[in-house]
Amino acid sequence: MVKISPRLENLLNIVHEDDCLLVLNKPAGLVCHPTKGDEFSSLISRARLYLNSSLSAAGGGEGRIPRPWERERVAEGRVRVKGKTLFDAGEVVCGFQPSAFPPSVADLLRRTGSLRPCLVNRLDRETSGIVIVAKNSEIAGELGKIWEARAVKKDYLAIVHGRVRDDHGLIDAPLGKDQRSIVAVKDCVRPDGAPSQTEYWVERRFSRVVHQSTRGRAGSPLPAAVTTTSDGAHGVTRPTEARLSDATQPAPSSILHPLARRLVSAKQCEDGSAAKTAPSSFSLLRVIPRTGRKHQIRIHLAHLGHPIVGDKLYGGDEDLYLALVENRLTPEQLARLILPHQALHACAVRFLWRGQPMEFSSAPEPWFQKFVGDDVRSL
């Protein structure tokens, strides 16, 4: 059995691994692609570290993977590294022996000396859940065609503000760029947008006592449980707020950001305004996107009148998103968001590959489950 460094092993929540795939449960708050951070700051960077660390451990742990500039292909089936033949007739150089690996991996090692993982699907920084990593570009190409053909079924869980009236619904609303927003990546529902459909089912309706400031940005009232009006635009029915449940529970303080916990315990906001305690209603939804537009689920649920809890871009005040990317979220803003991240989790992915049905699933993170109040892993 190959032993991996505990530090590297703890960087990833591995759902499944085989010769071709590495399936991960991405935590909320981690970007998929590298930014200006270190080698641990993105999901794909962590996957590369893990996979190449696996190769080093399999080879005895003493070797290392040759860098691209150290490689020189000199003959068919041979690779030379600084004058030494790497992988010739089973010879072990730099600690690696191709015969020790499955054929698909061994072939890649013979040609490159390392694994080159590729993301098959991506999730937003604040969204948690299933991400599939192909161990080489050939596998990524195969799976990419399946994604392009829309032959993939994806299930999400979302906690939204308010009590969603209908047990089941289809949101049919075209999406396009939000030209009124100062946030470049923000989209919105617009008549000339790309056709977009999102289907949802209500899994649970519940209430929580949450602490919120009496003032928001520029003194405006802060959203609590969302109250909506009837609007049939774009085939969407926006239900009105229903009566709160008699069984109202407080939101566990352990799920809040530490700064927000201190604010709530002090019952005092940064600007001196008092914090208030009020019962708010929420709904847990199972969501299936029928199309694959950017931010589709988040936009559609906000358009329905039930934005996702913790959504900093589509929750009503886009300054929260700007504060996130600029690393200036205040304790008062964190308390307003209620949860440390947006409550959207990609819980399952299903597709047919090489004639075999593939299905991968994962449970939401603990803070998500604690807020709902019950175990949601069985949904």
Side-chain angles (χ1 to χ4, degrees):
M1 180 177 179
V2 177
K3 293 184 178 180
I4 306 301
S5 163
R7 185 185 182 196
L8 291 176
E9 194 171 46
N10 294 334
L11 284 175
L12 298 172
N13 184 348
I14 300 174
V15 175
H16 168 83
E17 183 176 9
D18 59 29
D19 298 352
C20 302
L21 303 178
L22 178 65
V23 182
L24 306 172
N25 185 9
K26 184 187 88 68
L30 180 67
V31 296
C32 282
H33 284 291
T35 55
K36 295 181 180 179
D38 59 24
E39 58 188 352
F40 302 107
S41 64
S42 71
L43 189 70
I44 189 61
S45 295
R46 293 184 182 191
R48 287 173 183 144
L49 284 171
Y50 168 79
L51 290 172
N52 288 317
S53 166
S54 300
L55 294 180
S56 180
E62 299 300 325
R64 67 175 179 84
I65 298 167
R67 301 295 186 262
W69 55 84
E70 296 176 327
R71 303 184 193 123
E72 177 188 358
R73 189 175 299 276
V74 294
E76 185 65 22
R78 295 186 179 185
V79 176
R80 292 178 64 84
V81 178
K82 289 189 173 180
K84 296 182 179 180
T85 300
L86 178 66
F87 303 152
D88 181 27
E91 179 184 5
V92 179
V93 179
C94 293
F96 300 109
Q97 185 172 3
S99 60
F101 299 98
S104 60
V105 177
D107 179 63
L108 184 67
L109 289 172
R110 288 189 182 93
R111 290 185 285 110
T112 67
S114 66
L115 292 177
R116 296 187 176 279
C118 305
L119 293 179
V120 177
N121 66 310
R122 302 175 182 85
L123 296 175
D124 296 337
R125 169 182 175 177
E126 290 280 283
T127 301
S128 61
I130 294 292
V131 173
I132 297 176
V133 180
K135 290 189 175 180
N136 61 55
S137 57
E138 290 86 352
I139 300 300
E142 283 186 44
L143 294 175
K145 293 177 181 177
I146 298 174
W147 256 255
E148 290 172 4
R150 297 182 181 178
V152 182
K153 294 183 178 179
K154 296 172 281 186
D155 287 19
Y156 290 77
L157 290 174
I159 305 172
V160 301
H161 288 278
R163 294 174 68 86
V164 177
R165 183 188 63 189
D166 299 328
D167 291 338
H168 170 254
L170 177 68
I171 306 170
D172 186 1
L175 302 180
K177 183 174 178 57
D178 188 346
Q179 297 178 331
R180 297 172 298 177
S181 174
I182 62 173
V183 179
V185 298
K186 188 176 183 182
D187 285 354
C188 67
V189 172
R190 48 186 297 170
D192 61 346
S196 308
Q197 291 186 335
T198 301
E199 193 169 7
Y200 68 87
W201 292 260
V202 176
E203 297 287 349
R204 191 171 301 157
R205 299 178 179 91
F206 60 99
S207 298
R208 289 287 177 268
V209 173
V210 296
H211 301 270
Q212 292 189 330
S213 163
T214 57
R215 289 207 299 268
R217 186 183 182 191
S220 61
L222 291 177
V226 177
T227 301
T228 65
T229 57
S230 296
D231 181 3
H234 304 302
V236 177
T237 301
R238 302 173 66 190
T240 55
E241 180 69 11
R243 182 176 64 86
L244 291 177
S245 169
D246 294 333
T248 302
Q249 301 179 21
S253 61
S254 60
I255 64 178
L256 298 175
H257 189 284
L259 293 176
R261 283 204 297 270
R262 289 203 293 269
L263 174 68
V264 169
S265 63
K267 296 292 196 330
Q268 193 72 17
C269 294
E270 192 178 61
D271 61 2
S273 61
K276 64 181 181 180
T277 302
S280 297
S281 59
F282 303 91
S283 300
L284 174 66
L285 306 181
R286 180 166 62 89
V287 183
I288 296 181
R290 297 304 181 188
T291 51
R293 312 302 177 195
K294 182 181 69 178
H295 301 165
Q296 176 179 311
I297 294 175
R298 298 163 61 190
I299 301 170
H300 273 171
L301 293 178
H303 183 66
L304 184 68
H306 297 281
I308 293 173
V309 177
D311 194 329
K312 301 167 182 67
L313 185 55
Y314 298 102
D317 182 1
E318 62 186 32
D319 185 58
L320 293 170
Y321 173 80
L322 296 174
L324 170 70
V325 297
E326 295 168 5
N327 197 28
R328 57 173 176 82
L329 279 169
T330 66
E332 187 262 351
Q333 288 175 315
L334 290 166
R336 287 170 57 194
L337 289 164
I338 303 176
L339 293 175
H341 304 285
Q342 66 189 25
L344 181 62
H345 176 72
C347 59
V349 174
R350 297 182 294 276
F351 56 94
L352 188 67
W353 183 40
R354 296 177 175 176
Q356 296 295 322
M358 310 291 288
E359 180 173 355
F360 305 107
S361 61
S362 67
E365 295 183 284
W367 56 266
F368 188 115
Q369 297 188 43
K370 285 181 180 179
F371 190 76
V372 175
D374 294 316
D375 188 353
V376 299
R377 286 177 293 182
S378 61
L379 293 179

